[in-house]
């Protein structure tokens, strides 16, 4: 066993804590936190200790696969795979138009470089529509950011380290993280009597156990709960009137409505004590600083876009914006959005709103399973598993099967890959240069380029090379264009930059193919074989151009392209990652993009829904489906579908259980450790039950990421736990953003 610890990062959630790994041959033997990582500083949760189950899973793909006429797969060599995939997709483009080739994915929790390079393949194909997992969680929030602050990219982040009061709405950071060193930060708030932790969650989560105030809202009652909180702020004159007057627009109109809201009535509907809501309103108003985190508990539940709006009003009306401990608009190293052509506003078949370049994930099957001439005919799926992770798996599988061509780029044989015409096996995230664009922090934002710690598994390929070869096979790279760029790259990055800009001005396609052009030119000159990092040179340049002052404060020097070069050089050099921007609180105001720099308090499109809450009862249930199922809870035993082998979970049975309140179980005749059948309008499945009073009566919960098919030692595929989206339905989604109601699925439970 090698004694050396190699620096890399955890790939299991968006925080990407810095790791040091000791190898035993190709096995991941020892893992510890990297103290030099600028954000995680050595912090780790329990999940990465099992990373060998990812790296050396039995499900790893080791050769390109082609579907045979009999439905099985056969191995083919890479040259054949690239040639045939390019030809099949070009055929779709030439027959029906490149806009019929839909791209889904581009990265998971640890890997966004593949997605960066896929832009070139898409440009060759004329593929303009895309989406990814953000379009089933964050697009409603992004849209609201756009309404309040001017553009969807005006994304705010909390400052939980410094906040006097931290509020979590439908978010369980003890388990799911979402900000660096979450457990340490939560413990610090909980143990300081001058600070307060507020949790709005129907379930008594680990975070709620620590909280000063656990607002145990009724499932689906958030819109009423948040409105009651806002009404209490307004009616008790608890808002920051100076801030509101100087920085916002629409307060009168908003107040007119909130003055009419009965706090008592809305609290009753939400299932929360009025006294608690009023006390929390006063605690928030009296605090020096407040940060608020909203997540899937509202983003994947009824009124999700409206709830995002109400959540943001709380911190805006109390002036907790653009200040220490409050909410701020952060920098970004690169965009997480979908790209594509600027003008596209709605999906081609159903006319569904596109937000941040992303088609709502829930409507993807509707855009395929139709005879509409503009339907998607082909799909490229990269580093994501939509047949498992999107609503209504059965319909998603039908849609995948209805495509002319499905190409899947993954490291493992997934639920989605099984429907592909071609599967291209990627090298794992420990076998290549990788990075994520989850750069969401303020005032210190960090970025880490990870070096490979292992050679690619035989037969696999890194995504940048896959895309480069596809672009070449599609006729996109001309050696005559590349040679002068290579020569310039040999001189200096500045010479390269100038040559590239000049060449792209003459041949615009070079600009559209930029990631792959950089890979084939500049990439070949990078030290330590970091060819795959080439696209980051472009990202570093645009980051330095967008946030020059913040990049300078982080210690980088130079004018124009030199500043971006300095940033890029540090990225290549620092294996633990770098702080790429340091902000001042005033920067947040410079990033507000409304015409007059004020925050809009009125969002016209949401007002009917907002006012309509008065006539709604969130406790109403269909007698046929009296339970609310939260399908996809984050537990210590879940990590999306990144770990496929069920053996990674230490307590296998209980980790996959349906959680329910003991009183419900007793009424239904289900014993502790017994089994239950859960039925929704889309499906019915059986599983083991865990009894716990952390759930309210009438609320049951299943973990996310389970129910994967995985081969045992004999190669037989077994499924452990419930694949949650066998039970969900595509039509249960937010009317505006199209985000799914996964946390709020009407269900029936019976003893099995
Ligand atoms: N361990 C682990 N961590 C993860 C992941 C993982 O798979 N495993 N996945 C990562 C990913 S991709 C994401 S997006 C994040 C998600 O992170 P979270 O959003 O924190 O995760 P969830 O557990 O899905 O949902 C949060 C909470 O919503 C609550 N909830 C359910 N219904 C309602 C409701 O009606 N109202 C309110 N207010 N709350 C409700 C649930 O009880 C739950 O505690 O986690 C990331 N971190
Ligand atoms: N019912 C329900 N459904 C949900 C959720 C829920 O709470 N409830 N949560 C949703 C959320 S928030 C999210 S983010 C999604 C996540 O679901 P997906 O978007 O499907 O993402 P992951 O499960 O993270 O899958 C990542 C895929 O990337 C592959 N992979 C890993 N490393 C590499 C690599 O280096 N290269 C390539 N090419 N592939 C790689 C893995 O094998 C895996 O197939 O699930 C969503 N689905
Ligand atoms: S918090 Fe997220 S990134 Fe950090 S160790 Fe845990 S799963 Fe990995
Ligand atoms: Mo997610």
């Amino acid at each position: 066993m090698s004694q050396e610890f190699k620096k890399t990062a955890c790939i299991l959630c968006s925080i990407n804590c810095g790791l040091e790994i000791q190898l035993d041959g190709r096995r991941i033997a020892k893992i510890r936190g990297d103290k030099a990582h600028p954000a995680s500083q050595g912090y780790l949760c329990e999940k990465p200790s099992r990373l060998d189950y990812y790296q050396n899973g039995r499900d790893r793909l080791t050769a390109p696969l082609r579907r045979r006429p009999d439905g099985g797969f056969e191995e083919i060599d890479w040259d054949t795979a690239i040639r045939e995939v390019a030809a099949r997709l070009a055929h779709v483009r030439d027959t029906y138009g490149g806009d019929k080739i839909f791209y889904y994915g581009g990265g998971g929790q640890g890997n966004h470089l593949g997605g960066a390079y896929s832009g070139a393949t898409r440009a060759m194909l004329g593929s303009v529509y895309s989406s990814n997992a953000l379009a089933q969680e964050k697009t409603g929030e992004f849209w609201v950011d756009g309404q309040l602050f001017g553009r969807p990219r005006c994304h705010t982040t909390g400052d939980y380290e410094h906040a006097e009061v931290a509020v979590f709405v439908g978010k369980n950071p003890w388990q799911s993280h979402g900000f660096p060193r979450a457990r340490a930060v939560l413990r610090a708030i909980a143990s300081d009597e001058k600070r307060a932790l507020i949790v709005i969650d129907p379930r008594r989560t680990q975070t709620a156990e620590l909280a000063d105030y656990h607002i145990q809202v009724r499932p689906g009652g958030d819109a009423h709960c948040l409105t009651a909180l806002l009404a209490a702020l307004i009616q008790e004159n608890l808002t920051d009137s100076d801030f509101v007057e100087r920085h916002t627009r629409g307060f009168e109109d908003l107040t007119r409505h909130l003055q009419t809201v009965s706090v008592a009535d809305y609290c009753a509907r939400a299932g929360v004590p009025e006294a608690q809501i009023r006390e929390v309103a006063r605690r928030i108003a009296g605090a020096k600083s407040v940060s608020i985190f909203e997540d899937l508990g509202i983003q994947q539940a009824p009124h999700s876009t409206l709830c995002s709006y109400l959540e943001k009003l709380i911190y805006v009306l109390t002036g907790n914006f653009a200040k220490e401990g409050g909410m701020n608009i952060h920098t970004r190293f690169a965009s997480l959005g979908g790209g594509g052509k600027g003008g596209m506003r709605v999906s081609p078949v159903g006319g569904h709103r596109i937000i941040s370049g992303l088609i709502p994930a829930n409507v993807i099957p509707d855009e395929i399973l139709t005879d509409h001439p503009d339907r998607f005919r082909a799909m490229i799926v990269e580093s994501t598993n939509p047949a498992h992770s999107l609503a209504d798996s059965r319909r998603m599988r039908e849609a995948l099967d209805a495509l002319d061509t499905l190409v899947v780029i993954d490291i493992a044989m997934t639920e989605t890959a099984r429907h592909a015409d071609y599967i291209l096996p990627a090298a794992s995230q420990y076998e290549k240069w990788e990075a994520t664009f989850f750069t969401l922090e303020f005032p210190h934002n960090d970025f880490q380029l990870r070096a490979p710690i292992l050679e690619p598994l035989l037969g696999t390929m890194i995504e940048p090379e896959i895309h480069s070869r596809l672009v070449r096979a599609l006729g996109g790279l001309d050696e005559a264009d590349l040679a002068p760029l290579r020569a310039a790259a040999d001189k200096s990055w500045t010479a390269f930059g100038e040559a590239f800009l000049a060449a792209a001005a003459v041949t615009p396609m070079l600009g559209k193919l930029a990631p792959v052009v950089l890979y084939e030119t500049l990439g070949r000159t990078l030290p330590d074989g970091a060819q795959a990092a080439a696209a980051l040179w472009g990202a570093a340049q645009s980051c330095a151009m967008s946030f020059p002052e913040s990049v300078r404060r982080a210690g980088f020097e130079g004018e124009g392209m030199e500043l971006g070069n300095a940033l890029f050089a540090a990225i290549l050099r620092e294996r633990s990652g770098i702080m790429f921007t340091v902000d001042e609180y005033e920067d947040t105001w410079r990033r507000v993009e409304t015409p007059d720099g004020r925050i809009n308090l009125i969002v016209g499109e949401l007002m009917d829904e907002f006012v309509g809450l008065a006539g709604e009862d969130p406790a109403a249930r269909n007698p046929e489906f009296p339970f609310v199922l939260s399908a996809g809870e984050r537990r210590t035993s879940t990590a999306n579908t990144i770990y496929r082998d069920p053996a990674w979970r230490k307590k296998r049975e209980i980790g996959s259980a349906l959680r329910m309140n003991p009183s419900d179980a007793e009424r239904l005749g289900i014993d502790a450790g017994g089994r239950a059948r859960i039925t929704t309008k889309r499906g019915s499945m059986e599983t083991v039950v865990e009894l716990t009073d952390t759930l309210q009566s009438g609320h049951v919960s299943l973990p996310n990421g389970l129910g994967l098919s995985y081969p045992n030692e004999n190669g037989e595929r077994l499924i452990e736990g419930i694949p949650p989206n066998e039970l969900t339905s595509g039509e249960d989604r937010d009317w505006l953003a199209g985000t799914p109601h996964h946390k709020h699925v009407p269900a029936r439970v019976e003893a099995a």
Side-chain angles (χ1 to χ4, degrees):
M1 187 158 77
S2 152
Q3 292 307 300
E4 187 196 355
F5 275 92
K6 297 185 176 182
K7 284 181 189 291
T8 178
C10 176
I11 59 162
L12 299 173
C13 87
S14 65
I15 297 309
N16 306 127
C17 297
L19 286 186
E20 295 182 317
I21 286 184
Q22 207 179 54
L23 295 165
D24 182 1
R26 285 189 66 86
R27 302 207 81 81
I28 293 181
K30 274 195 188 153
I31 289 180
R32 64 186 188 205
D34 179 5
K35 294 200 174 74
H37 188 280
S40 66
Q41 299 167 20
Y43 175 94
L44 289 185
C45 75
E46 68 286 354
K47 289 185 293 296
S49 67
R50 321 287 279 178
L51 273 171
D52 196 57
Y53 285 89
Y54 162 79
Q55 169 57 31
N56 291 306
R58 215 177 282 136
D59 239 355
R60 285 285 305 268
L61 299 160
T62 52
L65 298 175
R66 176 174 64 196
R67 181 169 298 286
R68 284 190 312 244
D70 70 5
F73 286 109
E74 62 196 354
E75 294 193 358
I76 52 177
D77 62 70
W78 271 102
D79 286 345
T80 308
I82 295 289
R83 194 177 59 245
E84 292 189 8
V85 165
R88 287 278 292 260
L89 294 173
H91 176 76
V92 175
R93 174 194 63 194
D94 300 339
T95 314
Y96 306 108
D99 57 337
K100 312 302 181 304
I101 303 174
F102 179 56
Y103 179 83
Y104 187 76
Q109 301 294 301
N111 55 321
H112 296 157
L113 274 190
Y117 285 94
S118 70
T121 301
R122 292 181 56 205
M124 282 311 293
L125 292 167
S127 155
V128 290
Y129 293 104
S130 72
S131 199
N132 62 40
L134 291 171
Q136 44 85 73
E137 45 178 331
K138 300 284 172 280
T139 36
E141 181 181 8
F142 294 163
W143 184 83
V144 173
D145 287 331
Q147 299 294 308
L148 265 55
F149 309 120
R151 300 265 298 265
R153 67 180 186 189
C154 302
H155 184 254
T156 55
T157 197
D159 179 7
Y160 307 96
E161 289 250 26
H162 301 107
E164 180 183 322
V165 171
V167 187
F168 297 101
V169 191
K171 169 84 194 164
N172 177 18
W174 183 272
Q175 195 48 257
S176 64
H177 291 80
F179 54 93
R181 304 169 48 254
R183 290 173 185 174
V185 172
L186 291 172
R187 264 195 235 105
I189 302 173
S191 63
D192 185 342
E193 59 188 29
K194 294 194 209 66
R195 303 172 74 190
L197 188 60
I198 299 170
V199 173
I200 305 182
D201 196 309
R203 195 166 61 88
R204 202 174 70 242
T205 60
Q206 295 102 316
T207 313
E209 301 265 11
L210 287 174
D212 299 273
Y213 303 91
H214 176 202
I215 301 174
Q216 204 165 5
V217 65
R218 166 173 289 141
D222 299 86
H224 290 84
C225 175
L226 295 169
T227 303
L229 192 56
L230 287 165
L233 286 172
I234 296 277
Q235 293 170 18
E236 295 187 30
N237 270 323
L238 296 169
T239 57
D240 181 339
S241 46
D242 184 46
F243 180 95
V244 167
E245 190 170 317
R246 284 176 48 207
H247 295 300
T248 71
R249 187 179 342 105
F251 185 66
E252 306 293 297
D253 290 337
L254 182 69
T255 311
R256 206 169 307 126
H257 171 55
L258 285 171
Q259 287 290 6
T260 69
V261 166
S262 157
V263 176
D265 176 50
Y266 273 57
C267 284
R269 287 170 199 254
V272 297
E274 180 187 354
Q276 187 190 36
I277 291 298
R278 291 192 182 275
E279 200 182 329
V280 162
R282 290 178 205 130
R283 183 68 186 90
I284 287 175
K288 211 170 92 221
S289 59
V290 180
S291 280
I292 310 187
F293 201 129
E294 59 157 273
D295 215 342
L296 303 186
I298 59 170
Q299 292 177 346
Q300 295 188 338
H303 297 299
S304 64
T305 303
L306 176 63
C307 283
S308 292
Y309 166 60
L310 302 174
E311 174 267 310
K312 285 167 198 294
L313 285 180
I314 294 172
Y315 65 76
V316 172
L317 293 181
T318 54
N320 284 294
F321 183 77
K323 73 179 206 191
E324 188 182 41
M327 303 300 289
N328 288 280
I329 301 180
H330 57 79
T331 60
R332 62 197 161 270
F333 184 67
S335 163
L336 284 168
K341 246 194 247 158
M344 227 84 55
R345 316 293 312 179
V346 295
S347 67
V349 172
H352 303 286
R353 195 186 307 246
I354 292 177
I355 300 170
S356 299
L358 306 171
I359 288 194
N362 267 47
V363 308
I364 292 170
D366 300 345
E367 301 282 324
I368 299 170
L369 292 170
T370 161
D371 50 16
H372 193 290
D374 292 335
R375 67 184 181 273
F376 296 138
R377 308 264 184 166
M379 218 169 139
I380 304 172
V381 173
E382 180 165 359
S383 192
T384 177
N385 188 6
H388 183 276
S389 59
L390 295 192
D392 197 345
S393 301
R394 185 153 36 112
R395 191 136 188 282
M396 193 66 216
R397 289 191 293 268
E398 263 171 57
L400 296 175
D401 289 338
L403 294 164
D404 290 13
T405 302
L406 171 62
V407 179
V408 170
I409 306 174
D410 204 297
I411 66 146
M413 180 53 98
T414 66
E415 286 63 27
T416 307
R418 234 161 287 133
H419 296 264
D421 299 290
Y422 291 87
I423 308 176
L424 304 180
S428 86
Q429 295 177 49
Y430 296 104
E431 298 167 348
K432 64 193 173 202
W433 295 87
E434 255 306 353
T436 70
F437 302 146
F438 290 126
T439 49
L440 310 169
E441 301 306 320
F442 189 104
H444 300 109
N445 213 348
D446 61 288
F447 179 78
Q448 184 187 11
L449 170 68
R450 291 126 50 189
I453 61 171
L454 281 162
E455 288 294 313
L457 185 62
L458 208 64
T460 66
M461 196 176 276
I462 65 171
E463 287 89 345
E465 183 67 26
I466 293 176
H467 289 295
S468 178
R469 291 193 189 194
L470 284 172
V471 166
R472 248 177 230 284
L474 288 160
L477 291 179
D478 188 340
E479 281 307 313
D481 290 326
L482 300 183
L485 294 176
R486 281 197 197 111
D490 279 331
K491 283 194 208 119
S492 73
W493 291 345
T494 300
F496 172 79
E498 282 160 5
F500 180 76
L501 291 177
V506 179
T507 316
M509 199 58 193
L510 283 176
K512 294 190 179 150
L513 301 179
V516 158
V517 172
L518 288 169
Y519 176 78
E520 292 294 348
T521 54
L522 177 75
R524 299 195 179 192
T525 67
L526 296 179
D528 307 325
Q531 185 179 4
L536 299 179
W537 176 82
Q541 291 300 342
S542 74
C543 175
M545 244 185 308
S546 306
F547 311 105
E549 293 314 316
S550 303
V551 169
R552 286 206 176 89
R553 272 186 229 117
F556 302 99
E557 288 171 12
E559 293 301 320
M561 216 182 275
E562 293 301 336
L563 186 61
N565 286 342
L567 185 54
F568 184 54
I571 286 168
L572 288 177
R573 187 178 62 232
E574 300 297 336
R575 291 289 183 269
S576 292
I578 60 162
M579 208 84 88
F580 70 95
T581 48
V582 173
D583 284 328
E584 285 172 359
Y585 295 97
E586 277 299 305
D587 290 334
T588 291
W589 285 118
R590 283 189 273 281
R591 291 178 196 144
V592 170
E593 298 189 57
T594 52
D596 59 0
R598 284 172 177 263
I599 302 170
N600 277 315
L601 298 181
I602 293 289
V603 176
E605 278 184 87
L606 291 175
M607 285 305 144
D608 286 347
E609 186 184 357
F610 190 16
V611 172
L613 292 175
E616 258 182 54
D617 178 11
R621 304 280 177 257
N622 174 348
E624 203 190 333
F625 299 115
F627 282 87
V628 171
L629 163 69
S630 284
E633 179 193 316
R634 270 64 187 166
R635 297 183 184 169
T636 192
S637 53
T638 75
N640 287 3
T641 66
I642 304 162
Y643 285 136
R644 295 188 59 82
D645 184 347
W648 87 272
R649 290 181 280 123
K650 287 180 182 145
K651 293 176 187 151
R652 279 168 77 162
E653 268 259 288
I654 208 71
S656 67
L658 176 79
R659 287 183 169 161
M660 75 188 303
N661 185 285
S663 68
D664 289 333
E666 196 183 345
R667 194 161 38 78
L668 298 169
I670 301 169
D671 303 324
R675 293 180 72 81
R677 169 159 292 277
I678 178 150
T679 306
T680 66
K681 68 176 171 192
R682 277 310 276 164
S684 185
M685 314 216 71
E686 228 186 87
T687 185
V688 68
V689 170
E690 180 191 348
L691 302 185
T692 164
D693 67 0
T694 55
L695 279 146
Q696 303 177 21
S697 168
H699 189 199
V700 291
S701 173
L702 279 171
N704 73 307
L706 268 76
L708 301 171
S709 122
Y710 194 77
N712 66 11
E713 292 81 357
N714 309 320
E716 298 162 82
R717 289 200 159 264
L718 302 176
I719 294 182
E720 206 170 289
I722 290 187
N725 290 307
E726 299 294 338
L727 297 170
T728 60
S729 146
E731 73 216 23
D732 293 338
R733 60 177 188 256
D734 188 67
W735 69 273
L736 192 149
T739 38
H741 292 171
H742 289 334
K743 306 291 141 167
H744 198 88
V745 185
R748 181 169 66 242
V749 183
E750 293 142 310

